[in-house]
Structure formats: structure tokens, C-alpha cells
Amino acid sequence: PKTDIVFLKVHKSASSTVMNVLFRFGETHNLTFAFPIGGGNQLFYPQHFLARFVRGFSPRSPRRFNILCHHMRFLQPEVQKVVSSSAVYFSILRNPVQLMESSFMYYKGTSAFSRAHSLEEFLSQPYHYYNPTDSGSHYARNLMTFDFGFNPDGEVSARRVQLMLKAIEVSFDLLLISEYFDESMVLLKEMLCWDLDSVVSFPLNTRDSSTKSPLSDTMVEKIKDWNRLDWEIYTHFNRTFWERIDRDIGRERMQREVKALRERQAELARTCLQGMGSVAPKDIKDSSLQPLQHGSARILGYNLKQGLDKETERMCRRLVTPELQYSSALYKKQFP
């Protein structure tokens, strides 16, 4: 199994669920994480990543960490200073249309979104609300482009798009697609030589459907236009994702693998969870499992079954612990 990993955690793209997979693997195999100085869950985002943001890094005696997965704005030469040269790099993408809808709810407090009453209003005259120099403006346009380290306000010429896609391809070994999360986990498992249980997960940091709004066709086109660079990234890597499945695994085997993954997930849900699924924040009984609530989104969580034996309880708890709590527990373990 591969143990040196860089995960670029792209905002609002099921990346908290992926992070839980990495946290659990790292914890079970006693791996080291590249934590932000002072803990927390962001490596001085939205600045470009610098090696000195990592606790325990020193240029004089460069210490290598196994897993780098906290929020950062990607800058490969700096990333290479904190992980081994054989590290596997991967990230996850999401359809920019849903991504924008999600960001609008989640980052409602940012300068670009706070004055618009609806996403529709924002998109009717984006430059009335959006100013690239305002802090937090990156949440409002081409967020994936930004997280990968590029300029979200750059011109959309064929040449520039090609260079950007090429740069991502050169830096990353795999790009997952959040709409095909289970297929993504199968590809990840293959690439990292991990077993099935290592990539099983319950969806974390997901939103209550009551705060999701359906989008008209006109809105969809406006969102694609406004986030043209993200759209180019997504359509390109969605295509190569399926090409890779056809090349390395084949559709039939992929179907079998996905089925096995879902069955194992359902089995774990029966073992671990009260009522099999996620619950509204007000119904979460254990306050240590309460996810961070943000913007106008309602973030769901889980209740564990009572009376589980110690070992099972520990395994189940790891699966449902929200990102911030899990991260801070691992931080305290690594820096007692």
C-alpha cells in the first residue's frame, strides 16, 4: 500500500469525505500528516501553499510527511519540499454548476455573495457584486481553477486552457469526480493498492436537501459561462476519468467493484448507525459528532448505535467524526 500522498482538497466537492478516508488510513498506519502551524484545517488558504506553513518543517533539515491533505492553494515546488518525491498526487472535481450553487449557500457571508438575495440575482449582473480584489472573492468564480493555483479571472483562450489542463495533468496522478464518488473510490483503491475497507466511507459535510434549489436551464448556462475555466477543467477530466476506467479496469469489473463497495457501506451503516443514515444537526445526540454549520447551509451528521463493543465503536466513530474534530484529534496525537 502506498503511504505518501498529496490530496488537493477542492472546496465543496465531497472532499471532506475523501479526507476522512485519508485520516482513517493515516491513523491506523501511524502515518504523519503535514498539519498547518497551530493546527486548524487550512494551510493559510487562500494564499499559495508554502512549505513553511507546515508545523515541523524546517528548510535546514527538511522533514518529509506522509500525507498532505488540508485545504491549500496548490503550488507544487513548495509541496515537494514537505513530501517524498515518490508521493502520489490526487484531487477531486465537481460539476461547476452544482459547485457554484453549493458555494453560494455555504459562503453566503463573503463579499461577492452577501449582497445578492439569490444566485439568480448574482448571475444577472455578476460584476455588480463581484470584485476580484475583495477578500473571499475566489469563492464566487472558478473556485477549482483557484484551488489548483491558477488565476480564476484569466482570459479563456484555447491556448491558456490547454496550458492549464497540461499543468494539472503533469502534477496529478489521478483526478476523481465527485458525481461518480464510488467509481472514484475504486480507482483510488487501485492506484494506492489499498483494501476495500480503507476506501469505504459515509458522506460527510453534506447539505440538507431543503437548502438546495433547482436550477433553470438559463441559470445552468449562466453558471457555465461565469465559471468557464472550471467548466473546461471539469469536462476534460470527466472524459479522461472514464477513459482511465476503460483502460485500467473495464466497465464490467468497475460495476462489480462498485457493488461490493456499496454492499460493504450498507453493512457498516447497519452496524454503526442509528436509523441507517444522516440526520439534521438538531437531531445529533453526541455533541462531539456535530459538524460545523456554515453560511445558509444545514450540514447533516450521524448518530452511532448504542451498546457497540469497544473495537466496533472506535471503527464506527472514525467513519462519522466530522473533519474539524478528527483533524484536531490527530494533531494532538502527533504533537502531544
Side-chain angles (χ1 to χ4, degrees), residues 6 74 76 79-80 83 87-91 171-174 191:
V6 174
F74 191 66
Q76 192 160 16
V79 168
Q80 286 167 334
V83 293
V88 175
Y89 286 68
F90 78 101
S91 186
S171 303
F172 288 85
D173 300 291
L174 177 64
M191 183 178 72

Side-chain angles (χ1 to χ4, degrees), residues 17 92 176-189 196 199-201 203 241 245 254 257-259 261-263 265:
T17 311
I92 187 164
L176 308 176
I177 303 286
S178 66
E179 283 78 14
Y180 303 104
F181 192 80
D182 294 341
E183 290 84 354
S184 293
M185 290 299 104
V186 172
L187 278 181
L188 186 66
K189 169 174 87 77
L196 182 68
V199 297
V200 167
S201 62
F241 178 83
I245 288 174
M254 177 53 90
E257 294 267 355
V258 164
K259 188 166 175 278
L261 179 67
R262 287 176 183 163
E263 281 167 1
Q265 243 146 246

Side-chain angles (χ1 to χ4, degrees), residues 31-35 63 65 329-336:
L31 304 178
T32 55
F33 289 88
F35 281 110
R63 175 183 170 195
F65 299 87
L330 291 171
Y331 182 83
K332 287 182 189 127
K333 198 169 159 184
Q334 194 166 310
F335 300 105

Side-chain angles (χ1 to χ4, degrees), residues 8 84 99 142 151 251 304 306:
L8 176 64
S84 101
L99 180 74
N142 290 315
N151 174 10
R251 300 281 169 119
L304 290 179
Q306 300 295 300

